[in-house]
Amino acid sequence: MPRGPALGTPRLSEPLRQERRRILHAVHDRVEEVAETAVAVMRAEIPSYALQDRRFFDDVRDQVLEHYRMQLAALAGDQDIAPEDLVFSRAAALRRARAGFALEDWISAFRVGRQVLWDALLDCAGASAEAQQAALSLVTPLMRYVDYASTHAAQAYVEYQQHVVADADRERRDLLDQLLAGVAPTRGPLFAAAQAYGIGPRSPMMAVVAVCVDDTRAGDPTSAANGYAASASISVAGPWAGRTLVVVRHGEVVAVPVVRGGMNAEDICAHFEAVQQRLARAGTILSMGISTVAQGASELPRAYQEARAALDLVPSEGGVAALPRLSPFDYLALRADDVARQLVDPRVRALLDEDRRRGDTLATTIRAFAEADLNLRLAADRLRVHHNTAHYRLRRIEERTGRNPRRIADLLELLVALAIRDGAGEGGDYQ
């Protein structure tokens, strides 16, 4: 940091110089009293300070005294300020940062100290015009000192916080790596970190993997920032108490939510779906895959692979694929490859494609008939159509495809073709 500002005596008439010197000496004679006042005001105005003990306030008083004496000496023209003069302030900033005080509290303490010192200077100046003019000559150098000293201390604060963030990020990565190896930590810092997230060897957990859509398709250079923004949003507690382990790694965001008491997999899915939608409204589009429940750390590697596989089911424009919401039939249909699509009878494919263009009337009838356990009258009631209308639709399907929906094998083939068509419509080419 460059050398600090010169705070010595400006160009003043000799009477003003003498008056200025008188004011500074008067404040210097009562500087301990002024420091006590500053500490008392800090205690009253800064909530986090009010909770501290005597030892803390002794430290604060020592800091205030050292700052005041340095300022008064500099203002009297006896010395300038250099970075090495503020080593004591930097050390105090680190102590406050380690103790968990917010940077704004530290800056507030500087503000209070400056105001109390200024009040003391005015009080010692008196009411004469010459004294007031001499006091005003102290305003600019006093502000320069406070600005320089607070900036110097804030730099130490920020450096420490960056160090803490980097350490915490490494710890989360190390914890996730161990969990993805199928082992929950049992001792040391990683064990403490796992406990903070509610993770134990037998805790029911799920894996969530998210990628920014631009990461996988356009290589957007802002994707890293999007990943960290998504990480911050995901880590916020949902309908459960406590934090969620979230790590940005290898171009993806990995979350490990614990299924706590009174919750189920659907609660987790609903929360992450809401997160995805909230981020999308803010301009960060995610594709998100959610696994089934892993019963303990030993099953988490399997859950992670499930979540990654679920990403393949997400539409190209982003969204959520949650395996707990899918039946085995849905999953297999959505995972159908080109061979499965080619195995669909061209007549069935043609009918379903034409039906989709016309509003999916026949597809809706096929599903309703299956859900009604092949009870045509019940299916018609649910579709709110006449029984004869539903009968006509089934006959038309059979005439066009050669498949009779009343036969289990034919109905199953129609349902599979329909699921493959819909899956292809979401994420790929049906043809």
Side-chain angles (χ1 to χ4, degrees), residues 304-385:
Y304 172 70
Q305 294 302 325
E306 286 182 359
R308 294 203 64 183
L311 284 175
D312 293 337
L313 310 180
V314 180
S316 59
E317 64 272 15
V320 178
L323 295 187
R325 292 176 169 176
L326 299 178
S327 68
F329 177 87
D330 294 330
Y331 178 78
L332 290 173
L334 289 171
R335 295 285 292 178
D337 56 15
D338 291 338
V339 174
R341 296 185 181 98
Q342 291 302 318
L343 290 174
V344 175
D345 189 309
R347 293 176 297 172
V348 174
R349 185 187 307 160
L351 174 69
L352 295 181
D353 285 346
E354 177 186 322
D355 183 53
R356 179 156 56 185
R357 291 191 295 271
R358 294 184 174 183
D360 262 355
T361 300
L362 300 182
T364 302
T365 302
I366 292 171
R367 290 196 182 97
F369 187 52
E371 290 168 2
D373 295 328
L374 280 63
N375 184 324
L376 186 59
R377 190 171 297 277
L378 177 59
D381 290 342
R382 291 177 177 175
L383 292 169
R384 298 182 180 180
V385 299

Side-chain angles (χ1 to χ4, degrees), residues 233-249:
S233 185
I234 290 170
S235 63
V236 175
W240 53 84
R243 297 180 295 160
T244 297
L245 174 63
V246 183
V247 176
V248 180
R249 64 195 291 273

Side-chain angles (χ1 to χ4, degrees), residues 138-152:
L138 295 168
V139 172
T140 298
L142 180 63
M143 293 299 295
R144 285 175 181 167
Y145 176 88
V146 172
D147 180 62
Y148 184 73
S150 61
T151 300
H152 193 82

Side-chain angles (χ1 to χ4, degrees), residues 158-400:
V158 170
E159 288 172 358
Y160 176 79
Q161 290 177 333
Q162 288 174 338
H163 173 74
V164 168
V165 168
D167 277 354
D169 195 43
R170 269 194 303 273
E171 184 177 72
R172 286 193 299 271
R173 286 171 180 267
D174 290 346
L175 175 57
L176 180 64
D177 287 344
Q178 186 161 338
L179 291 172
L180 293 183
V183 180
T186 57
R187 64 174 71 87
L190 290 186
F191 173 68
Q195 285 190 315
Y197 295 110
I199 296 173
R202 296 179 179 80
S203 300
M205 296 171 277
M206 297 168 70
V208 180
V209 176
V211 296
C212 293
V213 167
D214 288 332
D215 277 358
T216 56
R217 293 168 175 84
D220 186 351
T222 66
S223 60
N226 287 343
Y228 282 102
S231 171
S233 185
I234 290 170
S235 63
V236 175
W240 53 84
R243 297 180 295 160
T244 297
L245 174 63
V246 183
V247 176
V248 180
R249 64 195 291 273
H250 308 316
E252 63 186 19
V253 181
V254 181
V256 183
V258 175
V259 185
R260 292 172 169 85
M263 296 171 53
N264 56 38
E266 174 54 30
D267 295 324
I268 303 288
C269 295
H271 169 67
F272 281 93
E273 184 175 51
V275 169
Q276 193 275 341
Q277 293 172 352
R278 184 169 65 249
L279 286 169
R281 289 193 294 270
T284 299
I285 311 299
L286 295 181
S287 293
M288 189 178 288
I290 305 177
S291 75
T292 61
V293 177
Q295 298 299 332
S298 63
E299 293 187 8
L300 196 62
R302 180 265 303 164
Y304 172 70
Q305 294 302 325
E306 286 182 359
R308 294 203 64 183
L311 284 175
D312 293 337
L313 310 180
V314 180
S316 59
E317 64 272 15
V320 178
L323 295 187
R325 292 176 169 176
L326 299 178
S327 68
F329 177 87
D330 294 330
Y331 178 78
L332 290 173
L334 289 171
R335 295 285 292 178
D337 56 15
D338 291 338
V339 174
R341 296 185 181 98
Q342 291 302 318
L343 290 174
V344 175
D345 189 309
R347 293 176 297 172
V348 174
R349 185 187 307 160
L351 174 69
L352 295 181
D353 285 346
E354 177 186 322
D355 183 53
R356 179 156 56 185
R357 291 191 295 271
R358 294 184 174 183
D360 262 355
T361 300
L362 300 182
T364 302
T365 302
I366 292 171
R367 290 196 182 97
F369 187 52
E371 290 168 2
D373 295 328
L374 280 63
N375 184 324
L376 186 59
R377 190 171 297 277
L378 177 59
D381 290 342
R382 291 177 177 175
L383 292 169
R384 298 182 180 180
V385 299
H386 193 274
H387 173 264
N388 290 337
T389 301
H391 179 76
Y392 166 76
R393 292 177 182 176
L394 293 187
R395 188 171 68 251
R396 184 180 172 201
I397 291 168
E398 183 177 5
E399 290 172 352
R400 292 282 304 276

